[in-house]
Amino acid sequence: MNFEISKEPIDTQSIIDKVIQREAGAITTFIGTVRELTAGKKTLYLIYEAYESMAVKKLEQIGREIEERWTGAKVAISHRVGKLEITDIAVVIAVSTPHRADSYEANRYAIERIKEIVPIWKKEHWEDGEEWIGNQLETVAYPTGKPEESDLDE
Amino acid sequence: MNFEISKEPIDTQSIIDKVIQREAGAITTFIGTVRELTAGKKTLYLIYEAYESMAVKKLEQIGREIEERWTGAKVAISHRVGKLEITDIAVVIAVSTPHRADSYEANRYAIERIKEIVPIWKKEHWEDGEEWIGNQLETVAYPTGKPEESDLDE
Amino acid sequence: MNKVMFFAHLRDAVGEESVSVDLTGKTVAEAKAILSEQHGINLETVMTAVNEEFAGDDDVLSDGDVVAFIPPVSGG
Amino acid sequence: MNKVMFFAHLRDAVGEESVSVDLTGKTVAEAKAILSEQHGINLETVMTAVNEEFAGDDDVLSDGDVVAFIPPVSGG
């Protein structure tokens, strides 16, 4: 189960453990955490929602894409759903490869792909309101034309 | 103590914990592990040796360089010394930043700088011999002209 | 019959996680038009998944296909 | 007097972690020549640290300075 949607807090070490291999000299992890400030606005908490069965399939697809593109790569990804507080972990991506350059590149590829094709949505809650966030890659217009303050490089 | 040379096994999570911050949306870690095969040769184990006091200073310097170059970055690095077996952790670099692109770049910078300026040396032990490895960046000739099989992109 | 699923702001707007509609023989584009009309939602920039795989506007739906409207994602 | 430290293959070659030599007033380049001669080691491609900071070949050593020869590093 290297690719999962988790309702419980993610234990980073357990994700790292999934990609350990004798052939690997490098493991990179990306840990996406809930940041307090986005474009100057103070987040209280977030809700993540997923189309869970499809999201798992899409994470698996990203894993296959990486293993095809970077020889010897091994990948594990867990994405949290539910209510997350500031500094809570939303996603952990672990990639092991024989050589370190590949490990950074493949990991970066994974997070960019997650933001393109994995059906997971985030609702930000501020003191003065809440909003579903979309379109982090600006590939399509957000249906309501909002949020103008969305952060493309979270 | 965000920068240290460790005689004991490194606990990755404890390094990650050092860089958690409310302003950060991204944490990357690089975990360098002992790989079994380098250029087709089977490693039995490694010995890492450091000029410890200077190595800590140089790790601190790398941390300062990163914090100057990438706004809001927080860095922790631990490098192991002593005897390491296959898959053991040699180094853990954790970097947190507000935005993810910075986190990957700053982390990559750290490992490249470690391989340039931090006085730590690795001795590889194979079935048929042993050798101190140097010059991973090929900026200077290895004193003995060896090792020809050294791996520049570990 | 077909199950049609909504997520994120669409779920809030529709007030249901899913609805049952007969879309057999319709294209994805036609399905979007029908559901937009029925629920007063804008599906222009929304992707569509059929049986958990992204589908094109011209794909034709069969009986039993599960349709999901996928607003721009914001995971990670 | 000065403490001179050796690491990695240099330590193996010299057979000591450090030696005491008077290098007061000598440049780093001169120190290298002296130690190469004394211990039959090649210091051409070796960096030098004085009091835990990298030093240039023209830097002049003071009494008490700790000199370390730093072969190409291989950490990480």
Side-chain angles (χ1 to χ4, degrees):
Chain A
M1 299 279 288
N2 275 26
F3 304 93
E4 58 177 22
I5 299 296
S6 171
K7 293 177 181 69
E8 305 301 322
I10 300 172
D11 172 37
T12 303
Q13 186 63 53
S14 74
I15 313 303
I16 293 171
D17 290 344
K18 293 176 185 179
V19 303
I20 291 172
Q21 43 175 343
R22 296 176 71 83
E23 300 76 21
I27 302 172
T28 50
T29 68
F30 175 82
I31 303 166
T33 56
V34 178
R35 189 176 54 202
E36 186 162 36
L37 291 176
T38 292
K41 224 170 169 179
K42 196 167 176 175
T43 299
L44 298 180
Y45 62 91
L46 299 181
I47 304 282
Y48 277 99
E49 176 182 299
Y51 181 7
E52 193 174 323
S53 53
M54 181 173 169
V56 170
K57 283 188 184 175
K58 289 289 139 188
L59 293 176
E60 289 168 346
Q61 176 185 328
I62 293 169
R64 282 194 305 274
E65 288 173 2
I66 289 173
E67 286 163 13
E68 280 165 21
R69 205 154 151 175
W70 287 277
T71 308
K74 206 167 164 186
V75 186
I77 306 175
S78 287
H79 200 298
R80 179 88 183 278
V81 289
K83 182 177 177 179
L84 276 77
E85 313 280 347
I86 309 303
T87 79
D88 280 356
I89 295 174
V91 62
V92 174
I93 302 165
V95 177
S96 68
T97 58
H99 301 287
R100 70 180 182 282
D102 288 353
S103 193
Y104 284 105
E105 285 167 22
N107 198 302
R108 181 86 191 263
Y109 177 84
I111 185 67
E112 301 301 335
R113 285 296 269 163
I114 287 171
K115 289 174 182 288
E116 280 172 1
I117 65 164
V118 181
I120 300 174
W121 301 271
K122 170 169 77 172
K123 192 177 201 172
E124 291 200 353
H125 291 255
W126 310 288
E127 278 178 7
D128 61 350
E130 57 184 52
E131 188 161 34
W132 285 104
I133 306 300
N135 186 29
Q136 293 182 306
L137 291 169
E138 225 175 23
T139 47
V140 291
Y142 192 79
T144 62
K146 288 199 281 180
E148 292 118 49
E149 297 181 313
S150 84
D151 186 342
L152 303 178
D153 180 32
E154 182 160 352
Chain B
M1 301 280 286
N2 276 25
F3 304 93
E4 57 176 25
I5 299 296
S6 171
K7 293 178 181 67
E8 304 301 321
I10 300 172
D11 172 36
T12 303
Q13 186 62 52
S14 74
I15 313 304
I16 294 171
D17 290 344
K18 293 177 184 177
V19 303
I20 291 173
Q21 44 176 343
R22 296 175 70 83
E23 300 76 20
I27 302 171
T28 50
T29 68
F30 175 83
I31 304 166
T33 56
V34 178
R35 191 176 53 204
E36 186 162 36
L37 291 176
T38 292
K41 223 170 168 178
K42 195 167 176 174
T43 298
L44 298 181
Y45 62 92
L46 299 182
I47 304 282
Y48 277 98
E49 176 181 298
Y51 181 7
E52 193 173 324
S53 53
M54 180 173 170
V56 170
K57 283 188 183 176
K58 289 288 139 189
L59 292 176
E60 289 168 346
Q61 175 186 328
I62 293 170
R64 283 194 306 275
E65 289 173 1
I66 288 173
E67 285 162 14
E68 280 166 22
R69 204 155 151 174
W70 287 277
T71 308
K74 205 169 165 188
V75 187
I77 307 175
S78 287
H79 201 298
R80 179 87 183 277
V81 289
K83 182 177 177 179
L84 277 76
E85 312 280 348
I86 308 304
T87 79
D88 280 356
I89 296 174
V91 62
V92 175
I93 303 165
V95 177
S96 68
T97 58
H99 301 286
R100 70 179 184 281
D102 288 353
S103 193
Y104 284 105
E105 284 167 21
N107 198 301
R108 181 84 192 264
Y109 177 84
I111 184 68
E112 301 300 335
R113 285 296 271 163
I114 287 172
K115 289 174 182 288
E116 280 173 2
I117 65 165
V118 181
I120 300 173
W121 301 270
K122 168 169 80 175
K123 192 177 201 173
E124 291 200 353
H125 291 255
W126 310 288
E127 276 179 8
D128 61 348
E130 56 186 52
E131 188 160 34
W132 285 105
I133 306 301
N135 185 29
Q136 293 181 305
L137 291 170
E138 222 173 25
T139 48
V140 291
Y142 193 79
T144 61
K146 288 201 282 181
E148 293 120 48
E149 295 180 314
S150 84
D151 185 343
L152 302 177
D153 179 31
E154 181 160 352
Chain C
M1 288 297 285
N2 298 87
K3 182 181 179 185
V4 178
M5 303 174 76
F6 302 103
F7 296 95
H9 72 275
L10 294 177
R11 181 177 292 183
D12 292 350
V14 172
E16 308 265 7
E17 294 192 13
S18 66
V19 297
S20 278
V21 197
D22 186 6
L23 298 168
T24 309
K26 302 267 189 291
T27 64
V28 164
E30 288 165 344
K32 277 186 172 180
I34 291 166
L35 275 299
S36 295
E37 176 72 20
Q38 276 183 5
H39 297 282
I41 49 177
N42 181 352
L43 295 175
E44 266 172 53
T45 62
V46 167
M47 294 186 284
T48 309
V50 176
N51 303 327
E52 303 178 355
E53 194 51 72
F54 289 111
D57 274 351
D58 297 336
D59 289 2
V60 177
L61 298 167
S62 303
D63 185 40
D65 279 351
V66 176
V67 177
F69 293 118
I70 311 283
V73 303
S74 51
Chain D
M1 289 296 285
N2 298 86
K3 181 181 179 185
V4 178
M5 303 175 76
F6 302 102
F7 295 95
H9 71 275
L10 294 176
R11 181 177 293 181
D12 291 351
V14 172
E16 308 266 8
E17 294 192 14
S18 66
V19 296
S20 279
V21 197
D22 186 7
L23 298 168
T24 310
K26 301 268 190 289
T27 64
V28 164
E30 288 165 345
K32 277 186 172 180
I34 292 166
L35 275 298
S36 294
E37 176 73 19
Q38 277 184 2
H39 297 282
I41 49 178
N42 180 352
L43 295 174
E44 265 173 53
T45 61
V46 167
M47 294 185 285
T48 309
V50 176
N51 302 328
E52 304 180 353
E53 194 49 72
F54 289 111
D57 273 352
D58 297 336
D59 290 1
V60 176
L61 298 167
S62 303
D63 185 39
D65 280 350
V66 176
V67 177
F69 292 116
I70 311 283
V73 303
S74 51

